[in-house]
Coordinates of all heavy atoms in Angstrom, one line a residue:
M2 N -59.0 -151.4 70.0 CA -59.5 -152.5 70.7 C -59.2 -153.9 69.8 O -59.4 -153.8 68.7 CB -61.0 -152.4 70.9 CG -61.6 -153.8 71.3 SD -63.4 -153.9 71.7 CE -64.1 -153.1 70.3
H3 N -58.7 -154.8 70.6 CA -58.4 -156.1 69.9 C -58.7 -157.2 70.9 O -58.6 -157.1 72.0 CB -56.8 -156.1 69.7 CG -56.4 -157.5 69.1 ND1 -56.7 -157.8 67.8 CD2 -55.9 -158.5 69.5 CE1 -56.3 -159.0 67.5 NE2 -55.7 -159.6 68.6
I4 N -59.4 -158.2 70.3 CA -59.9 -159.3 71.1 C -59.0 -160.6 70.7 O -58.8 -160.8 69.5 CB -61.4 -159.7 70.8 CG1 -62.4 -158.6 71.1 CG2 -61.8 -160.9 71.4 CD1 -63.7 -158.6 70.6
Q5 N -58.4 -161.1 71.7 CA -57.5 -162.2 71.5 C -57.9 -163.4 72.3 O -58.3 -163.3 73.5 CB -56.1 -161.8 72.0 CG -55.1 -162.9 71.8 CD -54.5 -162.8 70.4 OE1 -54.6 -162.0 69.7 NE2 -53.7 -164.0 70.1
Y6 N -58.2 -164.5 71.7 CA -58.6 -165.7 72.3 C -57.4 -166.7 72.3 O -56.6 -166.7 71.5 CB -59.7 -166.4 71.6 CG -61.1 -165.7 71.5 CD1 -61.4 -164.9 70.4 CD2 -61.8 -165.6 72.6 CE1 -62.5 -164.2 70.4 CE2 -63.0 -164.9 72.7 CZ -63.4 -164.2 71.5 OH -64.6 -163.5 71.5
V7 N -57.3 -167.3 73.4 CA -56.2 -168.4 73.6 C -56.9 -169.7 74.2 O -57.9 -169.6 74.8 CB -55.2 -168.0 74.6 CG1 -54.4 -166.8 74.2 CG2 -55.6 -167.7 76.0
R8 N -56.2 -170.7 73.7 CA -56.7 -172.0 74.2 C -56.0 -172.4 75.4 O -54.8 -172.6 75.3 CB -56.5 -173.0 73.1 CG -57.4 -173.0 72.0 CD -57.6 -174.2 71.1 NE -57.5 -175.4 71.8 CZ -57.4 -176.7 71.2 NH1 -57.3 -176.6 69.9 NH2 -57.2 -177.7 71.9
K9 N -56.7 -172.5 76.5 CA -56.1 -172.7 77.8 C -55.3 -174.1 77.8 O -54.5 -174.1 78.6 CB -57.0 -172.5 78.9 CG -57.6 -171.1 79.0 CD -58.4 -171.1 80.3 CE -59.0 -169.6 80.5 NZ -60.0 -169.5 81.5
D10 N -56.0 -175.0 77.2 CA -55.4 -176.4 77.3 C -53.9 -176.4 76.7 O -53.1 -177.0 77.2 CB -56.3 -177.3 76.7 CG -56.6 -177.1 75.2 OD1 -56.7 -176.0 74.7 OD2 -56.7 -178.1 74.4
C11 N -53.8 -175.6 75.6 CA -52.5 -175.4 74.9 C -51.5 -174.7 75.7 O -50.3 -175.0 75.9 CB -52.7 -174.9 73.6 SG -53.6 -175.8 72.4
W12 N -52.1 -173.6 76.4 CA -51.1 -172.8 77.3 C -50.8 -173.4 78.5 O -49.6 -173.3 79.0 CB -51.8 -171.5 77.6 CG -51.9 -170.5 76.5 CD1 -52.5 -170.6 75.2 CD2 -51.0 -169.3 76.3 NE1 -52.3 -169.6 74.4 CE2 -51.4 -168.7 75.2 CE3 -50.3 -168.6 77.2 CZ2 -50.9 -167.5 74.7 CZ3 -49.8 -167.4 76.8 CH2 -50.0 -166.9 75.5
R13 N -51.6 -174.3 79.0 CA -51.3 -174.9 80.3 C -50.6 -176.3 80.2 O -50.0 -176.8 81.1 CB -52.5 -175.2 81.1 CG -53.3 -173.9 81.6 CD -54.5 -174.1 82.2 NE -55.1 -173.0 82.7 CZ -56.4 -172.8 83.0 NH1 -57.3 -173.9 83.0 NH2 -56.8 -171.6 83.5
D14 N -50.4 -176.7 79.0 CA -49.8 -178.0 78.7 C -48.2 -178.0 79.1 O -47.5 -177.0 78.4 CB -49.9 -178.4 77.2 CG -49.3 -179.8 77.0 OD1 -48.1 -179.9 77.0 OD2 -50.1 -180.6 76.5
P15 N -47.8 -178.7 80.0 CA -46.3 -178.6 80.3 C -45.3 -178.8 79.2 O -44.4 -178.1 79.2 CB -46.2 -179.6 81.4 CG -47.5 -180.0 81.9 CD -48.5 -179.7 80.7
D16 N -45.7 -179.7 78.3 CA -44.8 -179.9 77.1 C -44.7 -178.7 76.1 O -43.6 -178.2 75.7 CB -45.3 -181.1 76.2 CG -45.2 -182.4 77.1 OD1 -44.4 -182.5 77.9 OD2 -46.0 -183.3 76.7
N17 N -45.9 -177.9 76.1 CA -45.9 -176.8 75.2 C -45.0 -175.6 75.9 O -44.5 -174.9 75.2 CB -47.3 -176.3 74.9 CG -48.0 -177.1 74.0 OD1 -47.4 -177.9 73.1 ND2 -49.4 -177.1 73.9
R18 N -45.2 -175.6 77.2 CA -44.5 -174.6 78.0 C -43.0 -174.8 77.8 O -42.3 -173.9 77.7 CB -45.0 -174.5 79.4 CG -46.4 -174.1 79.5 CD -46.9 -174.0 80.8 NE -46.5 -172.6 81.5 CZ -47.0 -171.5 81.2 NH1 -48.0 -171.5 80.4 NH2 -46.6 -170.4 81.8
K19 N -42.6 -176.0 77.9 CA -41.2 -176.3 77.8 C -40.7 -176.2 76.5 O -39.5 -175.6 76.3 CB -40.9 -177.8 78.2 CG -39.5 -178.2 78.2 CD -39.3 -179.7 78.7 CE -37.8 -180.1 78.8 NZ -36.9 -179.4 78.0
K20 N -41.4 -176.6 75.4 CA -41.1 -176.4 74.1 C -40.9 -174.8 73.7 O -39.9 -174.5 73.1 CB -42.2 -176.9 73.2 CG -42.0 -176.9 71.7 CD -43.2 -177.5 71.1 CE -43.3 -177.3 69.5 NZ -44.6 -177.9 69.0
F21 N -41.8 -174.0 74.2 CA -41.6 -172.6 74.0 C -40.4 -172.1 74.7 O -39.6 -171.3 74.1 CB -42.9 -171.8 74.4 CG -42.8 -170.4 74.1 CD1 -43.3 -170.0 72.9 CD2 -42.3 -169.4 75.0 CE1 -43.3 -168.6 72.5 CE2 -42.3 -168.1 74.7 CZ -42.8 -167.8 73.5
A22 N -40.2 -172.4 75.9 CA -39.0 -171.9 76.7 C -37.8 -172.4 76.2 O -36.8 -171.7 76.0 CB -39.1 -172.4 78.1
D23 N -37.6 -173.6 75.7 CA -36.4 -174.1 75.1 C -36.1 -173.4 73.8 O -34.9 -173.2 73.4 CB -36.6 -175.6 74.8 CG -36.6 -176.5 76.2 OD1 -36.2 -175.9 77.0 OD2 -36.9 -177.7 76.0
K24 N -37.3 -173.1 72.9 CA -36.9 -172.6 71.7 C -36.7 -171.1 71.8 O -35.9 -170.5 71.0 CB -38.3 -172.7 70.8 CG -38.1 -172.3 69.4 CD -39.2 -172.6 68.6 CE -39.1 -172.3 67.1 NZ -40.1 -172.7 66.3
H25 N -37.3 -170.3 72.7 CA -37.2 -168.8 72.8 C -36.5 -168.3 74.0 O -36.2 -167.0 74.1 CB -38.6 -168.2 72.7 CG -39.3 -168.7 71.4 ND1 -38.9 -168.1 70.2 CD2 -40.3 -169.4 71.2 CE1 -39.6 -168.6 69.3 NE2 -40.5 -169.4 69.8
G26 N -36.1 -169.1 74.9 CA -35.4 -168.8 76.0 C -36.1 -167.9 77.1 O -35.6 -167.2 77.9
K27 N -37.5 -168.0 77.0 CA -38.4 -167.3 78.0 C -39.6 -168.1 78.3 O -40.1 -169.0 77.4 CB -38.6 -165.8 77.5 CG -39.3 -165.6 76.1 CD -39.4 -164.2 75.8 CE -40.1 -163.9 74.5 NZ -40.3 -162.6 74.2
E28 N -40.3 -167.6 79.3 CA -41.6 -168.3 79.6 C -42.7 -167.9 78.7 O -42.8 -166.8 78.1 CB -42.0 -167.7 81.1 CG -43.2 -168.2 81.6 CD -43.6 -167.6 83.0 OE1 -42.7 -166.8 83.5 OE2 -44.7 -167.8 83.4
L29 N -43.7 -169.0 78.4 CA -44.7 -168.8 77.6 C -45.8 -167.9 78.5 O -46.2 -168.3 79.6 CB -45.4 -170.1 77.2 CG -46.6 -170.0 76.5 CD1 -46.6 -169.4 75.1 CD2 -47.2 -171.4 76.3
K30 N -46.1 -166.7 77.9 CA -47.0 -165.8 78.6 C -47.8 -165.1 77.4 O -47.5 -165.2 76.3 CB -46.4 -164.8 79.4 CG -45.4 -163.9 78.7 CD -44.9 -163.0 79.8 CE -44.1 -161.8 79.0 NZ -43.5 -160.8 79.9
F31 N -48.8 -164.4 77.9 CA -49.8 -163.8 76.8 C -48.8 -162.8 76.0 O -48.0 -162.1 76.7 CB -50.9 -162.9 77.6 CG -52.0 -162.5 76.7 CD1 -53.0 -163.5 76.3 CD2 -51.9 -161.3 76.2 CE1 -53.9 -163.0 75.5 CE2 -52.9 -160.9 75.3 CZ -53.9 -161.8 74.9
P32 N -49.0 -162.7 74.7 CA -48.2 -161.9 73.9 C -48.3 -160.4 74.1 O -49.5 -159.9 74.4 CB -48.6 -162.1 72.5 CG -49.9 -162.8 72.6 CD -50.1 -163.5 73.9
E33 N -47.2 -159.7 74.1 CA -47.2 -158.2 74.4 C -47.0 -157.4 73.0 O -47.2 -156.3 72.9 CB -46.2 -157.9 75.4 CG -46.4 -158.3 76.8 CD -45.3 -158.0 77.7 OE1 -44.4 -157.4 77.3 OE2 -45.5 -158.4 78.9
T34 N -46.5 -158.1 72.0 CA -46.2 -157.6 70.7 C -46.7 -158.7 69.6 O -47.0 -159.8 69.9 CB -44.7 -157.4 70.5 OG1 -44.0 -158.5 70.4 CG2 -44.1 -156.5 71.6
W35 N -46.8 -158.2 68.4 CA -47.2 -159.0 67.4 C -46.1 -160.1 67.1 O -46.5 -161.2 66.7 CB -47.5 -158.2 66.1 CG -48.8 -157.4 66.1 CD1 -48.8 -156.0 66.0 CD2 -50.1 -158.0 66.4 NE1 -50.1 -155.6 66.2 CE2 -51.0 -156.7 66.4 CE3 -50.6 -159.2 66.7 CZ2 -52.3 -157.0 66.7 CZ3 -52.0 -159.2 66.9 CH2 -52.7 -158.1 66.9
E36 N -44.9 -159.6 67.4 CA -43.7 -160.6 67.2 C -43.9 -161.9 68.2 O -43.7 -163.0 67.8 CB -42.4 -160.0 67.3 CG -42.0 -159.1 66.2 CD -42.6 -157.7 66.2 OE1 -43.2 -157.3 67.2 OE2 -42.8 -157.0 65.2
D37 N -44.3 -161.4 69.5 CA -44.6 -162.5 70.6 C -45.7 -163.4 70.0 O -45.6 -164.6 70.1 CB -44.9 -161.9 71.7 CG -43.8 -161.2 72.5 OD1 -42.6 -161.3 72.1 OD2 -44.1 -160.3 73.5
D38 N -46.7 -162.8 69.4 CA -47.8 -163.6 69.1 C -47.4 -164.6 67.9 O -47.8 -165.7 68.0 CB -49.0 -162.6 68.5 CG -50.1 -163.4 68.2 OD1 -50.7 -164.1 69.1 OD2 -50.8 -163.1 67.1
L39 N -46.6 -164.0 67.0 CA -46.2 -165.0 65.9 C -45.3 -166.2 66.4 O -45.4 -167.3 66.0 CB -45.3 -164.2 64.8 CG -44.9 -164.9 63.7 CD1 -46.0 -165.6 62.9 CD2 -44.1 -164.0 62.8
R40 N -44.4 -165.8 67.4 CA -43.5 -166.8 68.0 C -44.4 -168.0 68.7 O -44.1 -169.2 68.5 CB -42.5 -166.3 69.1 CG -41.4 -165.6 68.4 CD -40.5 -165.1 69.6 NE -39.6 -164.1 69.0 CZ -39.8 -162.8 69.2 NH1 -40.7 -162.4 70.2 NH2 -39.0 -161.9 68.8
I41 N -45.5 -167.6 69.3 CA -46.4 -168.5 70.0 C -47.0 -169.4 68.9 O -47.2 -170.6 69.1 CB -47.4 -167.6 71.0 CG1 -46.6 -167.1 72.1 CG2 -48.5 -168.7 71.4 CD1 -47.4 -166.1 72.9
Q42 N -47.6 -168.7 67.9 CA -48.3 -169.5 67.0 C -47.3 -170.5 66.2 O -47.7 -171.6 66.1 CB -48.8 -168.5 65.8 CG -49.9 -167.6 66.2 CD -50.1 -166.6 65.1 OE1 -50.2 -166.9 63.9 NE2 -50.3 -165.3 65.5
Q43 N -46.2 -170.1 65.9 CA -45.1 -170.9 65.3 C -44.8 -172.2 66.2 O -44.7 -173.2 65.8 CB -43.9 -170.2 64.8 CG -44.3 -169.3 63.8 CD -43.0 -168.3 63.6 OE1 -42.3 -168.1 64.4 NE2 -42.9 -167.8 62.3
T44 N -44.8 -171.9 67.5 CA -44.3 -173.0 68.4 C -45.4 -173.9 68.7 O -45.2 -175.1 68.9 CB -43.8 -172.3 69.7 OG1 -42.7 -171.4 69.5 CG2 -43.4 -173.3 70.7
L45 N -46.7 -173.4 68.9 CA -47.7 -174.2 69.3 C -48.5 -174.9 68.1 O -49.3 -175.8 68.3 CB -48.8 -173.4 70.2 CG -48.3 -172.9 71.4 CD1 -49.3 -172.2 72.3 CD2 -47.6 -174.0 72.2
M46 N -48.2 -174.4 66.9 CA -48.8 -175.1 65.7 C -48.4 -176.5 65.6 O -47.2 -176.9 65.6 CB -48.3 -174.3 64.4 CG -49.0 -174.7 63.2 SD -48.7 -173.6 61.9 CE -48.2 -174.7 60.6
D47 N -49.5 -177.4 65.4 CA -49.2 -178.8 65.3 C -50.2 -179.4 64.3 O -51.3 -179.8 64.8 CB -49.2 -179.4 66.7 CG -48.8 -180.9 66.7 OD1 -48.6 -181.5 65.5 OD2 -48.6 -181.4 67.7
P48 N -49.9 -179.4 63.0 CA -50.9 -180.0 62.1 C -51.6 -181.4 62.5 O -52.5 -181.9 62.2 CB -50.3 -180.0 60.7 CG -49.3 -178.8 60.9 CD -48.8 -179.0 62.4
S49 N -50.6 -182.2 63.1 CA -51.0 -183.6 63.4 C -52.2 -183.6 64.4 O -52.8 -184.6 64.6 CB -49.8 -184.4 63.9 OG -49.4 -184.0 65.2
K50 N -52.2 -182.6 65.2 CA -53.4 -182.4 66.3 C -54.4 -181.4 65.7 O -55.2 -180.9 66.4 CB -52.8 -181.9 67.5 CG -51.8 -182.8 68.2 CD -51.3 -182.2 69.5 CE -50.3 -183.2 70.1 NZ -49.7 -182.6 71.4
D51 N -54.3 -180.9 64.4 CA -55.2 -180.1 63.8 C -55.1 -178.7 64.5 O -56.2 -178.0 64.7 CB -56.6 -180.6 63.8 CG -57.5 -180.0 62.6 OD1 -56.9 -179.6 61.8 OD2 -58.7 -180.0 62.8
L52 N -53.9 -178.2 64.9 CA -53.8 -176.9 65.5 C -52.9 -176.0 64.6 O -51.8 -176.4 64.2 CB -53.0 -177.0 66.8 CG -53.7 -177.7 67.9 CD1 -52.7 -178.0 69.1 CD2 -54.9 -177.1 68.4
Y53 N -53.5 -175.0 64.0 CA -52.9 -174.1 63.1 C -52.9 -172.8 63.6 O -53.9 -172.0 63.7 CB -53.6 -174.2 61.9 CG -53.7 -175.6 61.2 CD1 -54.7 -176.4 61.4 CD2 -52.5 -175.9 60.4 CE1 -54.7 -177.7 60.8 CE2 -52.6 -177.1 59.7 CZ -53.6 -178.0 60.0 OH -53.6 -179.3 59.5
G54 N -51.7 -172.2 64.0 CA -51.5 -170.8 64.3 C -52.3 -170.1 65.1 O -52.4 -170.3 66.2
S55 N -53.1 -169.2 64.6 CA -53.9 -168.3 65.3 C -55.3 -168.1 64.8 O -55.5 -168.2 63.5 CB -53.2 -166.9 65.4 OG -53.9 -165.9 66.0
G56 N -56.3 -167.8 65.7 CA -57.5 -167.6 65.2 C -58.0 -166.1 65.2 O -59.1 -165.8 65.6
N57 N -57.1 -165.2 65.2 CA -57.4 -163.7 65.3 C -58.0 -163.1 63.9 O -58.1 -163.8 63.0 CB -56.2 -162.9 65.8 CG -55.1 -163.0 64.8 OD1 -55.2 -162.8 63.7 ND2 -53.9 -163.1 65.4
L58 N -58.5 -161.9 64.0 CA -59.1 -161.2 62.8 C -58.1 -160.5 62.1 O -58.5 -159.5 61.4 CB -60.2 -160.5 63.3 CG -61.3 -161.2 64.0 CD1 -62.3 -160.4 64.5 CD2 -62.0 -162.2 63.1
R59 N -56.9 -160.7 62.1 CA -55.8 -159.8 61.3 C -55.7 -160.4 59.9 O -54.6 -160.7 59.5 CB -54.5 -159.7 62.1 CG -54.5 -159.0 63.4 CD -53.2 -158.9 64.0 NE -52.4 -160.0 63.9 CZ -51.1 -160.0 63.6 NH1 -50.4 -158.9 63.5 NH2 -50.4 -161.2 63.7
N60 N -56.6 -160.4 59.2 CA -56.5 -160.8 57.7 C -57.3 -159.9 56.8 O -58.2 -159.2 57.2 CB -56.8 -162.4 57.5 CG -58.2 -162.6 57.8 OD1 -59.1 -161.8 57.6 ND2 -58.5 -163.8 58.3
R61 N -57.2 -160.0 55.5 CA -57.8 -159.1 54.7 C -59.4 -159.3 54.7 O -60.1 -158.3 54.6 CB -57.3 -159.3 53.3 CG -55.9 -158.8 53.1 CD -55.5 -159.0 51.5 NE -54.0 -158.6 51.5 CZ -53.5 -158.5 50.4 NH1 -54.1 -158.8 49.3 NH2 -52.2 -158.1 50.3
A62 N -59.9 -160.5 54.8 CA -61.2 -160.7 54.9 C -62.0 -160.0 56.0 O -63.1 -159.6 56.0 CB -61.5 -162.3 54.9
N63 N -61.2 -159.9 57.1 CA -61.8 -159.2 58.3 C -61.4 -157.8 58.4 O -61.7 -157.1 59.5 CB -61.5 -160.0 59.5 CG -62.3 -161.4 59.4 OD1 -63.5 -161.4 59.4 ND2 -61.6 -162.5 59.6
G64 N -60.7 -157.2 57.5 CA -60.3 -155.9 57.7 C -61.4 -154.8 57.9 O -61.2 -153.9 58.7
P65 N -62.5 -155.0 57.2 CA -63.6 -154.1 57.4 C -64.1 -154.2 58.9 O -64.5 -153.2 59.5 CB -64.8 -154.5 56.5 CG -64.0 -155.2 55.4 CD -62.7 -155.9 56.0
T66 N -64.0 -155.3 59.5 CA -64.3 -155.6 60.8 C -63.6 -154.5 61.8 O -64.2 -153.9 62.7 CB -64.2 -157.0 61.4 OG1 -64.9 -157.9 60.4 CG2 -64.6 -157.1 62.8
W67 N -62.3 -154.6 61.5 CA -61.4 -153.7 62.4 C -61.7 -152.2 62.0 O -61.6 -151.4 63.0 CB -60.0 -154.1 62.1 CG -59.7 -155.4 62.7 CD1 -59.2 -156.5 62.1 CD2 -59.8 -155.8 64.2 NE1 -59.1 -157.5 62.8 CE2 -59.5 -157.1 64.1 CE3 -60.3 -155.1 65.2 CZ2 -59.5 -157.9 65.3 CZ3 -60.2 -155.9 66.5 CH2 -59.9 -157.3 66.4
W68 N -62.0 -152.0 60.9 CA -62.2 -150.5 60.5 C -63.6 -150.0 61.3 O -63.5 -148.9 61.8 CB -62.6 -150.5 59.0 CG -62.8 -149.1 58.4 CD1 -61.9 -148.1 58.2 CD2 -64.1 -148.7 58.0 NE1 -62.6 -147.0 57.7 CE2 -64.0 -147.3 57.5 CE3 -65.4 -149.3 57.9 CZ2 -65.0 -146.5 57.1 CZ3 -66.5 -148.5 57.4 CH2 -66.2 -147.2 57.0
V69 N -64.5 -150.9 61.3 CA -65.8 -150.4 62.0 C -65.6 -150.2 63.5 O -65.9 -149.4 64.1 CB -66.9 -151.5 61.7 CG1 -68.0 -151.4 62.7 CG2 -67.4 -151.4 60.3
H70 N -64.8 -151.2 64.1 CA -64.3 -151.2 65.5 C -63.7 -149.9 65.7 O -63.8 -149.3 66.8 CB -63.4 -152.4 65.9 CG -64.3 -153.7 66.1 ND1 -64.5 -154.0 67.4 CD2 -64.7 -154.5 65.3 CE1 -65.3 -155.2 67.3 NE2 -65.4 -155.5 66.0
D71 N -62.7 -149.5 64.8 CA -61.9 -148.3 65.0 C -62.8 -147.1 65.0 O -62.7 -146.2 65.8 CB -60.8 -148.2 63.8 CG -60.0 -147.0 64.0 OD1 -59.4 -146.8 65.1 OD2 -59.8 -146.2 63.1
L72 N -63.7 -147.0 64.0 CA -64.7 -145.9 64.0 C -65.6 -145.9 65.1 O -65.9 -144.8 65.8 CB -65.6 -146.0 62.7 CG -64.8 -145.7 61.4 CD1 -65.7 -145.9 60.3 CD2 -64.3 -144.3 61.3
L73 N -66.0 -147.0 65.6 CA -66.9 -146.9 67.0 C -66.0 -146.5 68.1 O -66.6 -145.7 68.8 CB -67.4 -148.3 67.2 CG -68.6 -148.9 66.2 CD1 -68.8 -150.4 66.5 CD2 -69.7 -148.1 66.5
Q74 N -64.9 -147.0 68.2 CA -64.0 -146.4 69.3 C -63.8 -145.0 69.3 O -63.6 -144.3 70.3 CB -62.7 -147.1 69.3 CG -62.8 -148.6 69.7 CD -63.3 -148.8 71.1 OE1 -62.7 -148.0 72.1 NE2 -64.2 -149.6 71.4
R75 N -63.7 -144.5 68.1 CA -63.4 -143.0 67.9 C -64.7 -142.2 67.9 O -64.7 -141.0 67.7 CB -62.6 -142.7 66.7 CG -61.4 -143.3 66.7 CD -60.7 -143.1 65.2 NE -59.4 -143.8 65.2 CZ -58.4 -143.6 64.4 NH1 -58.4 -142.5 63.8 NH2 -57.2 -144.3 64.4
R76 N -65.8 -142.9 68.1 CA -67.0 -142.3 68.1 C -67.4 -141.5 66.8 O -68.0 -140.5 66.9 CB -67.3 -141.3 69.2 CG -67.4 -142.1 70.6 CD -67.4 -141.2 71.8 NE -67.7 -141.9 73.1 CZ -67.0 -142.7 73.7 NH1 -65.9 -143.1 73.2 NH2 -67.3 -143.2 74.8
R77 N -66.9 -142.0 65.7 CA -67.2 -141.4 64.4 C -68.3 -142.2 63.7 O -68.6 -141.8 62.5 CB -65.9 -141.4 63.5 CG -64.9 -140.4 64.2 CD -63.6 -140.4 63.2 NE -62.7 -139.4 63.8 CZ -61.5 -139.4 63.4 NH1 -61.0 -140.2 62.4 NH2 -60.6 -138.5 63.9
L78 N -68.6 -143.3 64.2 CA -69.8 -144.1 63.6 C -70.8 -144.3 64.6 O -70.4 -144.8 65.8 CB -69.2 -145.4 63.0 CG -70.2 -146.3 62.4 CD1 -70.8 -145.8 61.1 CD2 -69.6 -147.6 62.2
H79 N -72.0 -144.0 64.4 CA -73.0 -144.1 65.4 C -74.0 -145.2 64.9 O -74.6 -145.0 63.8 CB -73.8 -142.8 65.7 CG -72.8 -141.8 66.1 ND1 -72.2 -141.7 67.4 CD2 -72.3 -140.7 65.5 CE1 -71.4 -140.8 67.6 NE2 -71.4 -140.1 66.3
L80 N -74.3 -146.2 65.7 CA -75.2 -147.1 65.3 C -76.6 -146.8 65.9 O -76.8 -146.5 67.1 CB -74.9 -148.5 65.9 CG -73.5 -149.0 65.3 CD1 -73.2 -150.4 66.0 CD2 -73.5 -149.2 63.8
R81 N -77.6 -146.8 65.0 CA -78.9 -146.3 65.5 C -79.9 -147.4 65.5 O -79.9 -148.3 64.4 CB -79.4 -145.1 64.6 CG -78.6 -143.9 64.8 CD -79.2 -142.8 63.9 NE -78.2 -141.6 63.9 CZ -77.9 -141.0 62.9 NH1 -78.5 -141.3 61.7 NH2 -77.1 -140.0 63.0
R82 N -80.9 -147.5 66.3 CA -81.9 -148.5 66.2 C -82.9 -148.0 65.3 O -83.3 -146.8 65.2 CB -82.6 -148.6 67.6 CG -81.8 -149.4 68.6 CD -82.6 -149.5 69.9 NE -81.8 -150.1 70.9 CZ -82.1 -150.5 72.1 NH1 -83.5 -150.4 72.3 NH2 -81.5 -150.9 72.9
R83 N -83.5 -148.8 64.5 CA -84.5 -148.6 63.6 C -85.8 -148.4 64.4 O -86.0 -149.3 65.3 CB -84.7 -149.6 62.5 CG -83.5 -149.7 61.6 CD -83.8 -150.6 60.5 NE -82.6 -150.6 59.5 CZ -82.6 -151.3 58.4 NH1 -83.6 -152.1 58.2 NH2 -81.6 -151.2 57.7
P84 N -86.6 -147.4 64.1 CA -87.9 -147.3 64.7 C -88.9 -148.4 64.5 O -88.8 -149.1 63.6 CB -88.5 -146.0 64.3 CG -87.7 -145.5 63.3 CD -86.5 -146.4 63.2

């Protein structure tokens, strides 16, 4: 399981859509691969507007989060309520 958030204002902006299409030769759409995700981050990143890449959890600090999600999905970790 992976949760991906997108900023609709950035995605719907005609200038961003044109910028992406001009740079990559295809329409801006939800990423299907990590490479697509990286291309979108690089294209829409704009420090002058305080926009930086991506806000996903794929970093070392959040690695344990994904590990727990993985175990929950595989039903190898069971969360119990305390009595």
Side-chain angles (χ1 to χ4, degrees):
M2 169 179 45
H3 177 74
I4 299 170
Q5 179 86 13
Y6 294 99
V7 296
R8 285 197 36 189
K9 290 181 182 179
D10 61 325
C11 292
W12 283 69
R13 292 178 178 162
D14 184 297
D16 293 335
N17 285 341
R18 298 184 76 74
K19 182 177 181 342
K20 182 178 167 182
F21 186 86
D23 290 348
K24 186 172 183 175
H25 300 289
K27 59 183 181 178
E28 177 185 356
L29 176 62
K30 63 179 187 172
F31 196 83
E33 296 177 0
T34 67
W35 291 120
E36 289 79 18
D37 290 343
D38 188 49
L39 182 59
R40 285 186 199 103
I41 292 166
Q42 292 173 41
Q43 291 170 335
T44 304
L45 299 184
M46 186 168 131
D47 187 350
S49 69
K50 296 179 183 176
D51 205 25
L52 295 173
Y53 295 93
S55 176
N57 63 44
L58 296 175
R59 293 187 315 142
N60 64 37
R61 289 183 184 186
N63 291 306
T66 303
W67 293 116
W68 179 75
V69 169
H70 282 262
D71 184 50
L72 291 176
L73 286 170
Q74 287 297 310
R75 295 176 192 212
R76 292 180 169 61
R77 292 184 180 165
L78 178 66
H79 304 282
L80 300 178
R81 298 183 186 136
R82 289 187 188 181
R83 292 184 178 184

